[in-house]
């Protein structure tokens, strides 16, 4: 009986065991709390091999990481979790590894956990793919933008290529978008200054949008700039669609085809990658369960883990296969080029696969493979077309000037000049708008001691201006900082000086002969007059009827013959006539020379300057000279090896530093004050001489250089601007603009005497002749008056003498005779004044 009961119990137990064994297996899944809504939606579309129950792993406010691990352990054991799905959590991963529970995580995880399997490839694979791409393209410079710690890992990977320069820019998050925009713009400007044209963006969607917005405002989305993006799951698709006018290919690193659609993820939002990763994790779990031959409660987790290590299936994010440590490998990272649409030509926003990077178990065997693809045939378009750009200028006549009523005007209408007309014609040709603003520090552009640039070049490098249009000469130092178009004008250096004031003299007619000539002529006149008198007195006269020449007549004759006049007396002796002939010949040559020089002095105005050429300035110290500080001309003198220019630089910089000026207006003012020579561009100096006749330009011209439109380094639109300038030159527009702003000079060119530049004799030039005539008239009048007075006195003296004789005869000496009276009258006549005084 007891034996029968024993076998009955055994039979019941076996029956119960068979019943239990045949009961369907129920899978318990632990879901990381943040992804539970995603998995709930996916389970509605996915049929697992076994019934399942999802438990949300929620750990309320752990005190520490250790406390969190203890609570996770209790949760997993109490709920008998078979597998964990969702994003990686460090505490959960460590506990699951100890409990040997498979953890199929959808984000990056630790690499030393045996029971953790990563659906999302590790970051080092993406960094290796980026590194391999830079090697394949043979880049020598690259720029990296990142906004979290993952970017540091990418940077470290890129730095292992010692043949490539890496510039990294950290975009720091900020609540104010303006602060981030300013930060990004500064990064882009410095990147452009370093001539880096390849950029890798490893940032969030919002920061990527800001980077591209600022890059477009700086015209850096054009060739030869290239942009590469880390976007494993199409999160950046909305960003790229904000740039439909971009004709540069953006290259994207992703797990899926760009802007892809599938039955799991059909929406264009940030959840596309997460949904695809979650769907792949469920697919992997489902295939694993179906392949497990015997799934028992006691070894469910172990069976799943073993099958996960063997699995190899296609997924929504590519091929899925796990290697040692649960790391995903043998998958591909796709390189897709994004091409913007052109609404005018009807092209649509599209992408083209250009290459793949396949991961292997051994990272060193991973290689990038570029596919041979047919690119879309896209026509190039000017990157500034339809946009409004900032143009920096400097006040410099006649290139840029403010209108007289500029205070009452707005915008570009406030300015006029050659540069304004030039950029207006270029903008019409290339179909873009522009806004002019003046450089704040009033400088052209010089590299300072700290390596930074000031002036207009500094504005370009700072990203404040898209281009500069000004009389900025192209030299090697500036060419290293910015790019220039083809020259629209060639300039030289010349000297600007004040026209010397002509000294007016009332005795201008005396200038044809030197004062020593006048002295010698007067001496010859006196000497010849005296000699002629003695020759006539002691010589033998040929004709006795001719009157002899007295001493007074000798002077009169010589003076009259000098002025080609006639006299009553003439030499009658042979020696006297010989002397007279020599004097006449002397007078002929002297008068002829005087007449010729007098015509030149009085009718042709010549400029008489102490400086005839530029080299004359180096050999004198009376006239100071200088140029504008920190200008291209200053650096020419500073760096030149030409002897006289080097000597001038020593004079300007060391001996007399005050001769250097801060701007051209100051230089022109010093020239106007006199005794100052200003070195500046011939274009500006020529306009100044046209505008003000007090200025003159002295040559010869030297140091030819071109004026070009300046653009940021690497800007592709430089070639478009150059072609526009060449077309303006071919059509004659540049010549018309030059004639408009540099018309013919109306001032007389006093440095070139000619018949066309003669002038009438002014009263100031011949006033001395009238003064001599008036003096002669006055002297003749005085002499005439004196003679008349003497005649009157003589007549009065005769009358007084006669009366005196009568008185003496009748009252004093009755016997006085006629002869005594006659002598008395003669005495009174010879000394009339004395007699008058006595009487």
């Amino acid at each position: 009986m007891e034996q029968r009961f024993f076998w009955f119990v055994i039979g019941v137990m076996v029956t119960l065991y068979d019943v239990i064994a045949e009961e369907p297996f129920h899978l318990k899944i632990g879901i990381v709390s943040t992804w539970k809504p995603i998995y709930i939606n996916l389970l509605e579309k996915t049929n697992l091999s076994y019934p399942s129950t999802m438990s949300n792993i929620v750990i309320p406010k752990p005190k520490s990481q250790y406390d969190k691990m203890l609570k996770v352990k209790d949760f997993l054991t109490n709920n008998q979790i078979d597998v964990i799905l969702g994003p990686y959590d460090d505490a959960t991963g460590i506990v699951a590894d100890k409990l040997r529970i498979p953890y199929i995580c959808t984000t990056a995880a630790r690499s030393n956990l045996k029971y953790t399997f990563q659906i999302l490839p590790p970051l080092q694979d993406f960094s290796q793919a980026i590194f391999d791409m830079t090697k394949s393209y043979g880049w020598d410079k690259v720029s990296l933008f990142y906004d979290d710690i993952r970017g540091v890992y990418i940077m470290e990977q890129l730095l292992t290529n010692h043949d490539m320069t890496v510039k990294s820019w950290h975009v720091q998050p900020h609540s104010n978008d303006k602060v981030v925009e300013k930060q990004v713009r500064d990064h882009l400007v410095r990147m452009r200054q370093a001539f880096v044209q390849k950029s890798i963006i490893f940032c969030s969607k919002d920061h990527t949008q800001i980077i591209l917005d600022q890059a477009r405002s700086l015209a850096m989305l054009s060739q030869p700039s290239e942009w590469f993006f880390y976007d494993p799951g199409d999160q950046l698709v909305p960003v790229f669609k904000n740039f439909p006018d971009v004709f540069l290919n953006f290259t994207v690193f992703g797990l899926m085809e760009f802007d892809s659609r599938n039955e799991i993820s059909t929406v264009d939002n940030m959840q596309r990658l997460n949904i695809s990763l979650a769907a792949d994790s469920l697919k992997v779990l489902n295939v694993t369960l179906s392949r497990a031959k015997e799934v028992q409660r006691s070894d469910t987790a172990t069976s799943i883990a073993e099958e996960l290590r063997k699995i190899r299936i296609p997924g929504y994010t590519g091929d899925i296969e796990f290697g040692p440590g649960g790391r995903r490998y043998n998958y591909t990272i796709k390189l897709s080029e994004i091409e913007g649409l052109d609404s005018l030509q009807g092209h649509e926003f599209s992408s083209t696969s250009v290459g793949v990077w396949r991961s292997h178990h051994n990272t060193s065997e991973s290689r990038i493979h570029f596919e041979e693809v047919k690119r879309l045939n896209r026509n190039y378009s000017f990157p500034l077309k339809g946009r409004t750009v900032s143009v920096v200028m400097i006040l410099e006549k006649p290139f840029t000037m403010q209108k007289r009523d500029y205070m009452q005007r707005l915008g570009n209408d406030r300015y006029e000049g050659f540069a304004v007309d030039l950029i207006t014609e270029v903008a019409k040709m290339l179909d873009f708008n522009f806004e002019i603003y003046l450089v704040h520090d009033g400088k052209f552009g010089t590299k300072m001691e700290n390596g930074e640039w000031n002036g207009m070049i500094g504005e370009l490098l700072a990203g404040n201006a898209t281009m500069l249009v000004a009389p900025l000469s192209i030299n090697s130092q500036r060419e290293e900082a910015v790019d220039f178009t083809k020259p629209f004008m060639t300039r030289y250096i010349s000297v600007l000086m004040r026209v010397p004031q002509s000294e007016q003299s009332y005795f201008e007619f005396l200038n044809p002969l030197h004062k020593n000539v006048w002295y010698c002529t007067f001496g010859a006149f006196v000497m010849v007059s005296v000699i002629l008198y003695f020759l006539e007195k002691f010589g033998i006269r040929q004709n006795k009827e001719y009157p002899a020449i007295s001493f007074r007549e000798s002077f009169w004759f010589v003076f009259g013959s000098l002025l080609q006049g006639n006299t009553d007396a003439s030499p009658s002796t042979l020696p006297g006539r010989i002397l007279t002939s020599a004097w006449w010949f002397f007078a002929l040559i002297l008068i002829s020379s005087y007449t010729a020089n007098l015509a030149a002095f009085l009718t042709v105005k010549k400029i008489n300057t102490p400086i005839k050429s530029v080299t004359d300035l180096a050999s004198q110290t009376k006239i100071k000279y200088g140029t504008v500080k920190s200008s291209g001309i200053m650096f020419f003198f500073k760096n030149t090896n030409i002897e006289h220019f080097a000597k001038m630089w020593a004079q300007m910089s060391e001996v007399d530093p005050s001769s250097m000026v801060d701007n051209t207006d100051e230089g022109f003012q010093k020239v106007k004050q006199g005794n100052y020579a200003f070195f500046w561009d011939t274009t500006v100096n020529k306009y100044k001489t046209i505008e003000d006749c007090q200025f003159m330009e002295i040559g010869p011209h030297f140091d030819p250089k071109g004026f070009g439109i300046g653009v940021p380094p690497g800007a592709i639109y430089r070639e478009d601007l150059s072609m526009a300038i060449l077309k303006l030159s071919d059509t004659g527009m540049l010549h018309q603009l030059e004639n408009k702003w540099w018309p013919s000079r109306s001032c007389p060119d006093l440095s070139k005497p000619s018949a066309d530049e003669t002038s009438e004799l002014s009263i100031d030039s011949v006033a001395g002749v009238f003064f001599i005539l008036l003096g002669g008239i006055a002297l003749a009048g005085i002499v005439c008056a004196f003679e008349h007075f003497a005649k009157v006195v003589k007549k009065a003296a005769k009358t007084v003498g006669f009366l005196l004789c009568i008185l003496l005869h009748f009252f004093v000496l009755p016997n006085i005779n006629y002869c005594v009276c006659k002598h008395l009258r003669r005495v009174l006549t010879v000394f009339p004044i004395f007699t008058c005084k006595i009487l």
Side-chain angles (χ1 to χ4, degrees), residues 176-190 210 214 462 464:
N176 190 347
D177 289 342
K178 297 295 183 181
V179 176
V180 180
E181 291 176 0
K182 177 65 169 57
Q183 177 190 166
V184 169
R185 192 177 186 87
D186 292 341
H187 292 338
L188 290 172
V189 169
R190 286 195 291 271
I210 293 175
Q214 295 302 315
N464 299 328

Side-chain angles (χ1 to χ4, degrees), residues 645-675:
F645 289 143
K647 183 178 179 181
M648 293 171 123
W649 170 247
Q651 177 71 22
M652 288 186 287
S653 61
E654 299 177 5
V655 179
D656 191 11
S658 62
S659 63
M660 304 295 289
V661 296
D662 294 327
N663 50 63
T664 55
D665 290 337
E666 184 181 348
F668 295 147
Q669 187 63 31
K670 295 188 73 170
V671 171
K672 206 165 188 178
Q673 294 172 0
N675 286 333

Side-chain angles (χ1 to χ4, degrees), residues 131 134-135 139-140 156-166:
F131 177 83
T134 61
K135 294 276 287 186
W139 291 353
D140 58 349
E156 292 176 350
Q157 182 70 30
L158 293 175
L159 289 174
T160 58
N161 183 2
H162 301 293
D163 296 330
M164 181 175 62
T165 301
V166 180

Side-chain angles (χ1 to χ4, degrees), residues 119 255-256 262-264 276-277 279-287 291 310-322 328-332 334 358:
I119 298 297
L255 287 174
M256 301 180 292
N262 53 53
E263 67 275 12
I264 297 300
S276 299
L277 292 172
D280 280 346
S281 65
L282 286 176
K283 186 175 183 180
V284 166
L285 178 61
N286 196 21
V287 173
R291 290 182 180 179
K310 302 175 184 179
I311 198 169
R312 183 176 182 180
I313 62 172
Y316 299 108
T317 59
D319 294 338
I320 301 175
E321 186 175 357
F322 300 109
R328 182 176 175 180
Y329 77 100
N330 202 23
Y331 66 95
T332 58
K334 299 173 179 60
R358 180 166 292 277

Side-chain angles (χ1 to χ4, degrees), residues 293-349:
K293 296 180 179 180
E294 295 182 358
V295 178
Q296 303 295 334
R297 171 61 57 189
S298 58
D299 59 354
T300 299
T302 303
S303 300
I304 294 176
E306 291 297 330
E307 290 299 327
L308 285 174
R309 294 186 178 97
K310 302 175 184 179
I311 198 169
R312 183 176 182 180
I313 62 172
Y316 299 108
T317 59
D319 294 338
I320 301 175
E321 186 175 357
F322 300 109
R327 176 178 171 177
R328 182 176 175 180
Y329 77 100
N330 202 23
Y331 66 95
T332 58
I333 296 178
K334 299 173 179 60
L335 278 70
S336 301
E337 285 191 352
I338 315 303
E339 301 185 32
L341 60 85
D342 187 353
S343 58
L344 297 178
Q345 300 183 14
H347 294 301
E348 296 183 354
F349 190 84

Side-chain angles (χ1 to χ4, degrees), residues 15-40:
T15 303
L16 291 175
Y17 178 81
D18 292 337
V19 172
I20 295 174
E22 293 177 359
E23 182 181 355
F25 174 72
H26 197 84
L27 182 67
K28 294 184 178 180
I29 304 173
I31 303 296
V32 178
S33 59
T34 56
W35 280 46
K36 186 175 181 179
I38 296 177
Y39 279 102
I40 292 176

